[in-house]
Amino acid sequence: SQQGEEDPQALSIQEGENATMNCSYKTSINNLQWYRQNSGRGLVHLILIRSNEREKHSGRLRVTLDTSKKSSSLLITASRAADTASYFCATGQNTGGFKTIFGAGTRLFVKA
Amino acid sequence: SQTIHQWPATLVQPVGSPLSLECTVEGTSNPNLYWYRQAAGRGLQLLFYSVGIGQISSEVPQNLSASRPQDRQFILSSKKLLLSDSGFYLCAWSRHYEQYFGPGTRLTVT
């Protein structure tokens, strides 16, 4: 079953603006990850935040995690046309095999 | 460095035909391996994962099966394809939770 639910489903912004995507999940997790997928390609891991962390940064990316609300957000600052892609949140489960459940994704379009 | 290969990149198969998709990983040993399917414009559905040779966990009962004959080889198979098997198939590997994906195979069942 789907664990992560991203919001919005699609987002269109101008280059230079910030993009915020949200993710909600249902069960307890070990960690939450964000991935990017360019059209027709495999996913690329962006960032992982552990369940005992509240905020994490990586370059222009900022991720927050609120385990009490079972939600996370991904902020991309000063967006570029090259950021156009689908972004997925994924929850790391506390089970064997490092199982990870992916959401349906947010499609981001950055206009030049 | 580690690399992951998937082939073929695209495949068109008739209903009822068999399927074999292969995934291999280089540059690491004893990885966790995963098969996902992605419908157009949708998220990833975990199909199978493996923590070692011959160890396969199935997530969704369906027309597909997986095997891991070697440490860094993961194969997705079907004896008879259905129309509903069409999609984008992705293989991934991990040491822990961060997963690294192959380029994918676009399967169209006609």
Side-chain angles (χ1 to χ4, degrees):
Chain A
S1 61
Q2 206 87 305
Q3 167 76 314
E5 298 284 341
E6 286 92 340
D7 168 53
Q9 291 185 335
L11 181 60
S12 182
I13 60 174
Q14 291 291 138
E15 205 167 30
E17 294 180 340
N18 295 342
T20 299
M21 289 160 270
N22 302 297
C23 170
S24 60
Y25 58 92
K26 298 174 184 174
T27 63
S28 65
I29 60 172
N30 178 287
N31 60 76
L32 188 142
Q33 304 163 58
W34 286 91
Y35 290 79
R36 184 183 75 197
Q37 183 182 33
N38 289 89
S39 181
R41 308 292 292 275
L43 279 72
V44 174
H45 184 269
L46 295 176
I47 196 166
L48 179 151
I49 186 166
R50 301 186 192 287
S51 59
N52 61 354
E53 296 177 308
R54 291 298 167 259
E55 188 171 313
K56 203 162 183 179
H57 297 255
S58 177
R60 293 184 296 112
L61 305 180
R62 173 176 169 256
V63 170
T64 62
L65 178 64
D66 187 336
T67 52
S68 66
K69 295 181 179 178
K70 292 188 170 56
S71 67
S72 173
S73 67
L74 170 68
L75 169 67
I76 304 175
T77 60
S79 63
R80 306 166 181 167
D83 295 328
T84 294
S86 291
Y87 292 82
F88 296 88
C89 71
T91 50
Q93 307 297 296
N94 289 309
T95 58
F98 300 100
K99 197 167 100 174
T100 299
I101 305 297
F102 287 78
T106 291
R107 277 151 281 287
L108 173 65
F109 181 65
V110 182
K111 293 177 280 188
Chain B
S1 63
Q2 299 86 10
T3 56
I4 178 168
H5 304 278
Q6 272 187 258
W7 65 90
T10 59
L11 191 59
V12 180
Q13 292 283 101
V15 168
S17 63
L19 172 73
S20 180
L21 301 181
E22 189 164 343
C23 171
T24 59
V25 181
E26 296 177 356
T28 187
S29 60
N30 197 29
N32 301 306
L33 296 172
Y34 310 83
W35 276 113
Y36 293 90
R37 179 168 61 200
Q38 185 179 30
R42 305 293 297 275
L44 276 66
Q45 179 186 33
L46 178 62
L47 302 176
F48 302 94
Y49 68 92
S50 172
V51 300
I53 296 174
Q55 300 178 62
I56 309 293
S57 295
S58 174
E59 289 298 299
V60 183
Q62 58 201 320
N63 187 38
L64 302 169
S65 62
S67 61
R68 184 170 177 174
Q70 300 180 45
D71 182 44
R72 290 168 289 176
Q73 183 185 30
F74 206 22
I75 297 172
L76 183 69
S77 304
S78 173
K79 292 182 179 178
K80 288 186 178 181
L81 284 169
L82 306 171
L83 285 174
S84 57
D85 291 323
S86 292
F88 191 48
Y89 287 81
L90 288 158
C91 180
W93 74 273
S94 76
R95 299 295 295 170
H96 302 286
Y97 282 101
E98 299 176 12
Q99 296 191 12
Y100 302 92
F101 285 79
T105 294
R106 175 89 45 202
L107 171 66
T108 303
V109 182
T110 60

